[in-house]
Amino acid sequence: MELKTLDIFCEIIDNYGDIGVVYRTAKELQKIFPKSKIRVFLNRLDEFKKINSQVLDLPSQNIDGIEYITFDYLRDNANELLTAQVIIEAFGCQIPEKYMEIAYDNSELLINLEYLSAEDWIEDFHLQSSPLGRGKLKKVFFMPGFTEKSGGVIADSNYLERIQRLLENKEFYEKKYFSDIENRENKIVGTLFSYEKNFTPLLEDLKKLDKNVVILAMGEKTQDSLRKILKNFSIEDFRNSLKYGKIEIRFLNFLNQEEYEELINIVDFNFVRGEDSFIRAVLTGKPYMWHIYCQEEYAHMDKIEGFLDKYRRVIENFSDEDFLLNMEKFFKDYNFRKENSLELGKESYLYFFENLAKIEKYNTIFRDFLIQKCNLINKLKDFIEKY
């Protein structure tokens, strides 16, 4: 298929991950298909404004060659806007009915881009079709994952090029983000982005290290969790930062997508949450921990198990069993919760922080595998062109 027009639909609920994935995908597809007309339809703009400072409170706007249109504007102008040749339905969102009524007979391919999963069953569903029951439009499931037989992960060239620029100009970016951190080379610096969580074990374990630590706390839930916990500690409070012994906690304002990607590539470790931030962290090759969103009956632990299995498959020929067992235990203990709360967990952080260099070595192997074998953008491009 020669792609002429593409529409992407995203229904934002209450997080930045969905729009982060869609924004990244749209930019990359525009780069791959420069002659194609690409539009992104969103149910609201609040979260998009946070990750992209160019976004205005307008129902229809062009940003860097891509049209961004609200659902409300689409419903009022469906007949004039028409539909695209290819439609991407991100995360099973509800495409406005007025659009679909036209699309059944005028569009060719509807790609249901699902959430990332590490579970084995997705390989059987990847690229499977589903009848829509009318018109010529065909629906296909696209299942992101960590294996060659899945849809892969978003290793977009914009991000990979940004990492390369950063590595070539590391001193510039160190000054940009860490100019006020004294003796940076003698400190461990990392980001912390989470859902509600009790970080008492983290603080207590960090006190045992032989280095000072700077934690860059990101997001309201992370910062609120830390402030509630630290009420019970003897701390020095400097409004936007707190000091607890050798640990300094800085509360960062919200960063746009590009700034966040720069920051996580120059720190020593990243604790992240959700899907989009997790994949960005994985692609740094740096030590990371994933805070997955809790689901009923501990269903989220199946996803953790699935990821650890895929990670093990890639690096087990390069690493020792002791390393794998320690990291697997850490991932499971960090996430074993019935719900996201300030309930005290049983995880220990010492192995992680005492083995940062070893973790980075193996994480780099896993990252390179994903970039070379599991690149979602390349897989999506090939599928559209061959359709």
Side-chain angles (χ1 to χ4, degrees), residues 153-169:
V153 301
I154 301 179
D156 51 298
S157 64
N158 285 315
Y159 182 50
L160 299 179
E161 289 168 4
R162 182 173 294 113
I163 293 176
Q164 189 59 39
R165 287 196 301 271
L166 185 143
L167 294 175
E168 293 171 354
N169 302 278

Side-chain angles (χ1 to χ4, degrees), residues 207 212-213 234-236 243-248:
K207 283 174 59 180
N212 288 0
V213 181
S234 178
I235 59 171
E236 298 175 73
K243 194 82 162 47
Y244 175 55
K246 62 176 67 175
I247 307 164
E248 180 184 355

Side-chain angles (χ1 to χ4, degrees), residues 178-193:
F178 302 145
S179 61
D180 59 344
I181 297 181
E182 297 180 4
N183 300 316
R184 161 68 181 99
E185 63 278 5
N186 296 318
K187 293 179 178 178
I188 299 173
V189 181
T191 66
L192 181 59
F193 185 36

Side-chain angles (χ1 to χ4, degrees), residues 259-284:
E259 291 170 332
Y260 178 73
E261 291 175 354
E262 291 173 354
L263 181 61
I264 63 174
N265 277 281
I266 58 170
V267 294
D268 302 308
F269 68 90
N270 294 291
F271 281 49
V272 297
R273 78 179 204 198
E275 175 182 329
D276 191 48
S277 298
F278 174 49
I279 294 304
R280 297 303 100 189
V282 170
L283 294 176
T284 67

